[in-house]
């Protein structure tokens, strides 16, 4: 039996404004992280900033207590903080951030029942040149992908935009995790792969809301998940970066909903 959870929700204007408000809250939490991120701070300190900022503004951190679909422990924090070879879903804790670290922070806020999901990668102090190139290529790939989104765009056009760009720089696209519909729930249909071929896949429709969140690796695209059930690392131990936005499809473009102002 086909389950109703496979439907793609088309959001109305009021719902999109609700998602924009939660997305703005998540983005402002990342602004706060950016201000406080420096060598010597712990990831749990940054996580507490995110937690307190979201709750003080009437929101709920969506990751806190979130039960994944892969039969793991509930996620124990208000943000995912993924350092260097950690691809995604790093669990904040006593780890101290060092000069030269590549730090990806992913925040999802719930406000009035709407979900906004966004992530950025930050470089701390004097990061290696390859970390800079990787981070720049990842951010640029998200920008290029957003630029192809509009009513009628095919899913493969998004993956192609990301893959073509980062592979031209010698980097690789993680396959194991994908973008996703979002807004009324944390993870909705459709799955949004970050690799693909132009002119293939489903056509986007106005009112669809989803994330694009490329995870780009310095070396091989394979990942492995550690025994905590969450932390995903690169199979070769090399660096990984990620940027994520939540957006709504419109007749002539993408309306990015995870901006700070
Ligand atoms: N925010 C992540 C995403 O982009 C999901 C994190 S789930 C968690 O989809 F449990 F690891 F926090
Ligand atoms: Co997401
Ligand atoms: Co996210």
């Amino acid at each position: 039996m086909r389950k109703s959870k496979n439907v793609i929700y088309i959001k109305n204007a009021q719902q999109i404004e609700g998602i924009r408000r939660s997305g703005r809250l998540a983005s402002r939490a990342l602004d706060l992280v950016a201000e406080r991120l420096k060598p010597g701070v712990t990831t749990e300190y940054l996580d507490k900033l995110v937690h307190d900022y979201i709750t003080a503004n009437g929101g709920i951190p969506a990751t806190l207590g979130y039960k994944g679909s892969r039969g793991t422990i509930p996620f124990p924090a208000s943000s995912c903080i993924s350092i260097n070879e950690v691809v995604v879903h790093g669990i904040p804790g006593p780890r101290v951030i060092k000069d030269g670290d590549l730090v990806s922070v992913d925040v999802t806020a719930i406000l009035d029942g709407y979900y906004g999901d966004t992530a950025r990668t930050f470089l701390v102090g004097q990061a290696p040149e390859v970390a800079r190139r990787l981070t720049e290529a990842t951010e640029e790939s998200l920008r290029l992908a957003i630029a192809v989104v509009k009513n009628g765009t095919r899913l493969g056009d998004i993956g192609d935009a990301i893959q073509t760009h980062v592979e031209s720089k010698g980097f690789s696209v993680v396959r194991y995790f994908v973008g996703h519909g979002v807004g009324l729930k944390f993870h909705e249909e459709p799955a949004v792969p970050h690799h693909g071929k132009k002119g293939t896949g489903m056509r986007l429709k106005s009112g669809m809301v989803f994330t694009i969140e490329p995870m780009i690796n310095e070396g091989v695209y394979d990942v492995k998940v550690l025994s905590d059930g969450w932390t995903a690392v690169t199979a070769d131990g090399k660096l990984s970066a990620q940027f994520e936005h939540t957006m709504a499809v419109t007749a002539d473009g993408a309306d990015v909903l995870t901006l700070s102002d």
Side-chain angles (χ1 to χ4, degrees):
M1 194 178 86
R2 192 141 197 100
K3 291 193 228 105
S4 58
K5 71 176 187 185
N6 291 325
V7 300
I8 300 176
Y9 302 110
I10 297 298
K11 277 85 172 183
N12 63 34
Q14 181 193 334
Q15 291 169 322
I16 289 171
E17 289 319 304
I19 301 165
R20 193 190 312 279
R21 291 180 66 240
S22 64
R24 182 183 299 133
L25 184 58
S27 179
R28 288 180 176 169
L30 288 180
D31 295 344
L32 193 56
V33 168
E35 277 173 31
R36 306 291 183 87
L37 183 62
K38 58 176 196 291
V41 305
T42 64
T43 54
E44 64 199 0
Y45 164 78
L46 298 172
D47 185 67
K48 186 171 188 309
L49 287 176
V50 170
H51 176 274
D52 293 352
Y53 182 76
I54 290 176
T55 55
N57 285 282
I60 301 168
T63 57
L64 189 57
Y66 178 69
K67 296 178 186 63
S69 52
R70 296 181 172 92
T72 53
I73 56 152
F75 195 82
S78 300
S79 60
C80 299
I81 305 186
S82 304
I83 302 178
N84 297 333
E85 77 286 358
V86 180
V87 178
V88 285
H89 305 165
I91 301 174
R95 180 167 176 174
V96 176
I97 288 172
K98 298 197 312 289
D99 187 82
D101 278 344
L102 179 163
V103 182
S104 303
V105 184
D106 189 344
V107 173
T108 308
I110 313 171
L111 191 62
D112 302 329
Y114 297 110
Y115 291 72
D117 187 5
T118 185
R120 293 178 211 159
T121 293
F122 305 103
L123 295 169
V124 183
Q126 295 294 107
E129 202 230 309
V130 65
R132 288 172 198 286
R133 284 194 291 109
L134 178 67
T135 302
E136 265 169 33
T138 305
E139 185 166 24
E140 181 69 0
S141 77
L142 174 56
R143 199 186 63 73
L144 292 168
I146 292 171
V148 304
V149 170
K150 62 176 195 167
N151 185 59
T153 293
R154 302 181 71 156
L155 269 184
D157 301 346
I158 293 175
D160 176 75
I162 295 164
Q163 186 177 11
T164 302
H165 182 70
V166 305
E167 288 184 356
S168 80
K169 308 280 179 186
F171 300 131
S172 66
V173 178
V174 170
R175 273 67 162 161
Y176 188 70
F177 299 103
V178 294
H180 51 92
V182 67
L184 309 182
K185 293 188 288 182
F186 198 165
H187 293 105
E188 303 173 3
E189 296 295 319
V192 180
H194 302 109
H195 71 294
K197 289 203 188 345
K198 243 183 222 169
T200 67
M202 186 194 78
R203 282 186 195 282
L204 304 178
K205 283 201 190 64
S206 294
M208 286 183 182
V209 175
F210 56 84
T211 73
I212 305 178
E213 50 183 293
M215 292 136 277
I216 306 301
N217 291 357
E218 175 191 357
V220 299
Y221 62 69
D222 309 82
V223 305
K224 55 186 186 190
V225 177
L226 302 186
S227 60
D228 61 24
W230 285 108
T231 312
V233 298
T234 56
D236 59 10
K238 294 188 179 181
L239 297 173
S240 186
Q242 183 183 32
F243 285 83
E244 174 176 27
H245 274 305
T246 296
M247 67 206 74
V249 179
T250 72
D252 50 12
D255 183 4
V256 177
L257 303 177
T258 36
L259 301 175
S260 295
D261 39 41

